[in-house]
Amino acid sequence: MKKGYKIETLAVQAGYSPKNGQPRVAPIAMSTTFKYDSAEDLAKLFDLQASGHFYTRLSNPSVECLEIKMSALEGGIGAIACSSGQAASSLLVLTLCNSGDHIISSNAIYGGTSNLFGHSFKKLGIDVSFVNPDASEEEILSLRRENTKLLFAESLSNPSVRVLDFEKFSSAAKKMGVPFAVDNTFPTACLCRPFDFGADFVLHSTSKYSDGHACALGGIVIDKGSFDFSASDKFPAFNEPDESYHGLIYTKAFGKGAFLAKARTHVMRDFGMMMSPMNAWLTSMNLETLPLRMERHSFNGLRLAEFLASHPKVDWVNYPGLKDSPEHARAKKYLSAFGGVMTFGPKGGRAAAERFMNSLKLAAIVTHVADARTCVLHPASTTHRQLSDKEQAESGILPELIRVSAGIENIDDIIGDFEQALESI
Ligand code: PLP
């Protein structure tokens, strides 16, 4: 596609350009495999001497459409779509780290990512240091080890809705000589541009706003191509022959595309966390309305947060769009609008929170967040229940905290539902 198109245009058109007489809408390539005329043709693909699809665990036309579109939205050089957001985080870490390595992550992150890093990767010998996002740059740097390979954070954290101090984190990553990866699931490329603020990699759980209709699970890693693996002595696996790939040296063969090539040909090949073509197609279609939806989510989010903040039965509201939020100044610096996700605590603690949730009629209690339908969740008893009380407190998960995801319904109906549910407590 021509360079310079704006995000609304890319959301609709990037990823698929039909040729004369081809379907206007990209077809779904529900095929595990692809036919070639000669053994030699296929051998060239296996040797990475020619490009083309040969097996859907590695690449697929429908998945590729989504990868091109998401990469265009964020401004990357390419992307790899995965079966879930968790798979995308795994792909990133497993491409960068071996057993014995270390990563540093903000502790204001999704509970599932926190478990993945703090427990599952630990068992594989990849150690993590969690850092409070309020820590100073010196405190972040003090966690650096010889074997540190990544700094990770969420742009707008789930569920604490903290806005990342990009300047501090990207500066720390540069001083440590490690890539800086940002999970941009909540704001999406429409509201936040991590690559403009120093990130080398952007991740998404596309299951959230990207799909936006709660119908297709997925994740993606997008590479800006900014981290120079060939100039770093921290990543020998990128600069030395890969014996599992005929002695290929990724930085020599692929230059800026070294990470994407290694992630796909090595980690995706071996672990097989590929997105399904059906989910990729659904997500690509739904992305067409992402800019419109993010506008409405942000409008509804602000109105709902203002309503809650002025309600006598509400103790506190945490939404970066509120003028008196401690996050507001940073939110205005890094976000163009504030999205639909907020947390609040009703007066009366956990019991009141449960009564409120059980009284909702329009908004549903679901594990999900960030889709068209307004929904609520009690993180302390669900997404974050595997964390200890201390870990919950450190991640800002209070017992009465309710996470709200304002959908794109009419705001008067959403507020009406919350009003009647608050009356019940
Ligand atoms: N990152 C964030 C910010 C999330 O909110 C989630 C899930 O809620 C994930 C990653 C994990 O994504 P998935 O559920 O698609 O595996």
Side-chain angles (χ1 to χ4, degrees), residues 84-87 110 113 154 158 183 185-186 205 207-208 217-218 369:
S84 67
Q86 292 296 89
Y110 166 60
T113 314
E154 289 179 5
N158 179 9
D183 182 329
T185 296
F186 271 12
S205 163
S207 330
K208 306 297 168 327
L217 204 71
V369 63

Side-chain angles (χ1 to χ4, degrees), residues 237-255:
F238 286 76
N239 293 306
E240 289 169 7
D242 180 352
E243 294 316 328
S244 81
Y245 230 107
H246 321 306
L248 181 90
I249 299 176
Y250 291 102
T251 45
K252 281 221 169 99
F254 299 101

Side-chain angles (χ1 to χ4, degrees), residues 70 78-79 106 109 187 224 263 302 340 383 385 388 393 416 421 425:
M70 287 291 289
S106 160
I109 56 171
K224 186 185 179 193
L302 185 57
T383 47
R385 71 179 297 133
S388 67
I425 62 177

